[in-house]
Amino acid sequence: YTMVDHDNADDFCQVVLQAFEITGAFKPFLSTTMALPHMQNFLARYDGEPAGVGQIASIAGVAGLYSGGVIERFRGRGIQSALIEHRIRTAIDQGMRLLYSGTEEPDNLSSRNLRKQGFFIAYELENWEIPAKLSLAPCCGTRAHLDR
């Protein structure tokens, strides 16, 4: 596992895009989050090829494990479990007292890998979204709306 720097940042982005099957339009957001001062980015290689990624976001003794993903053709080789273990060890070595993570589903491969490392479900959270093509209501963003 290597920490991501300027030389391998593009590899990190490409693995995230492929592992989570998202478009390149997400790359500017990802690049911004990678540069945050409290974010650590990790890249795993398999036979020299970029294969998996993970992030640690840490503030005030609390660390979140984010963006743990593996490109499909490298799955089933223990890469995600190893990345989880590496990030846990790194966070603890840095003095983090509480670690958390999240998954889309309570019983998918990611959640099972987290449970194997000692995580447990503390609560469930619903995520809400607005489709990008949906326009905002006319009142949104007006001065009257903002001054409420």
Side-chain angles (χ1 to χ4, degrees):
Y1 315 97
T2 57
M3 290 287 289
V4 176
D5 59 22
H6 180 71
D7 293 334
N8 58 8
D10 195 53
D11 287 342
F12 179 92
C13 288
Q14 290 306 315
V15 172
V16 170
L17 296 177
Q18 289 179 47
F20 292 100
E21 298 177 359
I22 50 182
T23 68
F26 184 74
K27 192 172 178 179
F29 171 78
L30 180 59
S31 296
T32 300
T33 63
M34 288 173 62
L36 293 172
H38 63 278
M39 190 70 74
Q40 297 173 73
N41 309 288
F42 299 90
L43 176 67
R45 294 182 182 277
Y46 188 86
D47 286 338
E49 288 187 64
V53 293
Q55 295 178 302
I56 300 174
S58 55
I59 299 174
V62 177
L65 305 187
Y66 288 96
S67 304
V70 175
I71 294 174
E72 187 172 3
R73 72 178 181 274
F74 296 110
R75 292 179 185 159
R77 298 175 184 178
I79 295 169
Q80 186 187 53
S81 292
L83 273 166
I84 292 169
E85 183 178 335
H86 181 73
R87 289 181 290 157
I88 289 170
R89 196 171 44 254
T90 299
I92 290 171
D93 288 348
Q94 293 173 353
M96 298 300 121
R97 298 180 311 276
L98 176 66
L99 279 66
Y100 68 92
S101 191
T103 62
E104 290 182 12
E105 299 292 330
D107 193 34
N108 62 12
L109 184 58
S110 294
S111 62
R112 289 191 293 274
N113 284 333
L114 289 166
R115 273 195 226 99
K116 288 177 188 174
Q117 297 291 338
F119 284 88
F120 60 91
I121 296 175
Y123 62 90
E124 291 187 27
L125 175 69
E126 286 189 40
N127 292 308
W128 298 72
E129 65 183 71
I130 296 175
K133 61 185 175 190
L134 182 68
S135 62
L136 297 176
C139 68
C140 294
T142 65
R143 182 170 176 79
H145 179 71
L146 295 174
D147 288 341
R148 293 196 278 163

